[in-house]
Amino acid sequence: SVFGAAIDDGIVGRNPVRAKSVTRPKIVEHKAEPWTLAQVEAMAGALPDRFAVIPYLGAGTGMRQGECFGLAAGDVDFLRKVVHVRRQVRLVGTTLCFAPVKNDKAHDVPLAESLAPVLAEHIRLYPPVAVTLPWSVPGGKPVTFSLLLTRPGGEAMHRTRFNESHWWAAQEKAGIVPAREPGGKRAPARDQGMHRLRHTAASAWLAAGVDIVAVAAWLGDTVKVVWETYAHLMPDSDDR
């Protein structure tokens, strides 16, 4: 599209990416692989107590990492059994900001009966903390929310620091990835990040027979994306 615009503006005379000698590389398909409940529980047990709720929250709601970090006390409606996904904590450069969820798709997720007491106990042990961050970009309007997940000092969660300090170590402790040799480097495990919990939620919903339209709404994605990502996890007639 850039070269097409350049041709229209008379800057170049031809579009080199349309040359017959140029071929499009094949797309390597990576099928989403969910964790088992045992793996979710292992991660919860391997994380510090303050963060043990995260694997259950991700696997029970399908929220992305930033959305989990942006979840406020008022977003969890225990009476109506629903979780409102309204914002995320996003790292813009070196600044943490509150921001809309991906694609501006604010959405609601049913609060599972198994997740409700886990969240309630987390709130009892670690009461929500009012956190003020700029909205959307550094220098944006300051907004305040009482977050369910904060660092020990009451600050908003920083994804890079959390991953490096806690998540990656928990992966090894839980047996998700091989433990490092003494003095060795950590094995790459980008595909074992918190997004794996999103796959776990989607697979559980689909296995339970939830309509793909509803799953897309709960994930804040389109039906097309859900179909392309999770079709292989949908149960066939015999499974149902």
Side-chain angles (χ1 to χ4, degrees):
S1 62
V2 171
F3 276 110
I7 290 173
D8 292 341
D9 292 341
I11 297 173
V12 297
R14 57 184 292 273
N15 188 338
V17 301
R18 292 194 177 278
K20 292 182 179 180
S21 59
V22 177
T23 57
R24 185 186 298 272
K26 292 183 178 180
I27 297 175
V28 179
E29 294 185 359
H30 296 283
K31 291 185 177 181
E33 296 183 10
W35 278 347
T36 64
L37 178 58
Q39 289 175 307
V40 173
E41 292 177 335
M43 283 296 293
L47 287 165
D49 291 344
R50 186 181 192 89
F51 305 130
V53 71
I54 292 177
Y56 296 115
L57 179 61
T61 65
M63 290 196 294
R64 302 173 178 89
Q65 185 180 49
E67 295 167 352
C68 289
F69 292 168
L71 187 67
D75 298 327
V76 182
D77 190 332
F78 288 98
L79 180 62
R80 294 176 177 82
K81 298 181 180 179
V82 64
V83 176
H84 305 293
V85 186
R86 296 290 180 265
R87 76 198 66 80
Q88 63 174 314
V89 172
R90 186 175 66 173
L91 186 61
V92 182
T94 58
T95 303
L96 289 176
C97 303
F98 285 124
V101 299
K102 188 176 180 179
N103 301 323
D104 284 325
K105 284 185 174 291
H107 54 282
D108 294 339
V109 184
L111 176 60
E113 291 185 4
S114 57
L115 178 60
V118 176
L119 280 179
E121 179 64 6
H122 171 80
I123 292 172
R124 184 185 72 82
L125 295 174
Y126 306 99
V129 178
V131 175
T132 302
L133 296 174
W135 182 256
S136 192
V137 294
K141 180 182 178 181
V143 291
T144 302
F145 296 100
S146 294
L147 300 182
L148 266 64
L149 291 168
T150 57
R151 289 146 67 184
E155 306 90 349
M157 297 288 287
H158 188 293
R159 69 166 188 259
T160 303
R161 293 173 184 169
F162 171 74
N163 290 338
E164 293 178 348
S165 300
H166 302 296
W167 188 263
W168 293 345
Q171 288 176 330
E172 295 183 9
K173 187 176 179 180
I176 302 294
V177 299
R180 282 176 289 182
E181 296 293 334
K185 293 184 178 181
R186 182 181 63 86
R190 290 178 62 87
D191 61 338
Q192 300 289 353
M194 278 187 61
H195 213 73
R196 186 62 74 97
L197 298 170
R198 185 172 173 84
H199 300 335
T200 302
S203 70
W205 293 330
L206 292 170
V210 177
D211 183 84
I212 193 171
V213 176
V215 172
W218 297 348
L219 290 175
D221 260 326
T222 65
V223 172
K224 180 177 183 293
V225 169
V226 173
W227 179 263
E228 292 176 346
T229 307
Y230 302 110
H232 66 288
L233 298 176
M234 296 178 68
D236 59 24
S237 298
D238 289 344
D239 291 333
R240 284 193 291 273

